[in-house]
Amino acid sequence: SPSPSPPPLLRDSMAMRCVVYFPARLLHAVAVCTKGAFARLEAFSLRLLAYGLNRNRLAWFEGMDQRLTSENTNTEDQRSETWSGPTVYTAPAEATLPYPPIRDSTEGIAGFAALVELGILKPGQVVLNLGGGAFDGPSQWLESKCTGTRVLTADPFRRSKEHNLSVQEQVQKVGGADVVTSISV
């Protein structure tokens, strides 16, 4: 004889538990698989941006048309051997509120020094310095402070087209930069 069926209330709650449990497990499995797929898609997209489908594609700055430029920034070369720290701005004497001194670590050597202090820039890295201006003082400072670090600077307004293409080729040859900076641009 067939086994007796559970009372209707119990039967409904068992079915409900099964219905809720199954989709939750399924959704979890889908989420885990999707996360991996999105990570692979993101990595692929980043490689496409860096290299494109064709290695003979345009230069990074080819066809660039913008009105705001770095032409008027980085007009003073900072020498790594004479740099003593970031610029500190103090409140004017006539200020009504007691503003504390402001340490500007957003430009040149000070920008690199802040990134070293934060542990972002480390020895042995390839650093792509985009919009790094016409001078090499900050790059030389970083290379002297972080052993084995190589700083490659590209700037569409302050460096020649040949220089920028050379930097692009060097970065692509090593498989990309470890860190990309754009300080005070």
Side-chain angles (χ1 to χ4, degrees):
S1 87
S3 61
S5 64
L9 183 59
L10 181 59
R11 186 176 56 233
D12 291 345
S13 69
M14 287 171 34
M16 192 58 142
R17 195 173 325 131
C18 184
V19 167
V20 169
Y21 179 72
F22 177 72
R25 296 283 298 216
L26 179 63
L27 288 174
H28 176 72
V30 168
V32 168
C33 292
T34 306
K35 182 179 177 186
F38 280 125
R40 287 189 296 280
L41 179 62
E42 179 183 32
F44 176 74
S45 298
L46 290 173
R47 278 194 299 280
L48 277 179
L49 282 173
Y51 299 113
L53 292 174
N54 178 355
R55 287 234 184 230
N56 297 323
R57 72 186 191 100
L58 297 174
W60 287 339
F61 303 121
E62 191 73 30
M64 178 183 259
D65 181 26
Q66 69 180 51
R67 294 175 194 270
L68 296 174
T69 72
S70 58
E71 286 183 65
N72 296 319
T73 63
N74 192 11
T75 56
E76 181 181 318
D77 193 10
Q78 295 178 318
R79 311 293 309 156
S80 60
E81 55 278 350
T82 59
W83 185 75
S84 61
T87 303
V88 177
Y89 298 100
T90 57
E94 66 275 0
T96 56
L97 294 174
Y99 291 105
I102 298 171
R103 180 179 156 205
D104 182 7
S105 58
T106 63
E107 188 171 350
I109 294 174
F112 280 142
L115 294 174
V116 168
E117 190 177 306
L118 290 170
I120 295 169
L121 297 177
K122 302 171 188 144
Q125 292 177 320
V126 173
V127 178
L128 175 58
N129 183 21
L130 287 179
F135 306 111
D136 291 318
S139 300
Q140 292 166 352
W141 180 90
L142 180 59
E143 289 173 345
S144 73
K145 297 298 178 195
C146 293
T147 310
T149 295
R150 188 167 160 211
V151 181
L152 301 166
T153 300
D155 189 312
F157 304 104
R158 304 288 286 174
R159 304 285 176 129
S160 70
K161 182 176 182 176
E162 295 75 26
H163 172 86
N164 290 329
L165 283 172
S166 170
V167 167
Q168 179 176 349
E169 289 168 3
Q170 291 175 66
V171 169
Q172 289 176 333
K173 185 176 181 180
V174 298
D178 297 306
V179 177
V180 177
T181 60
S182 186
I183 298 172
S184 191
V185 173

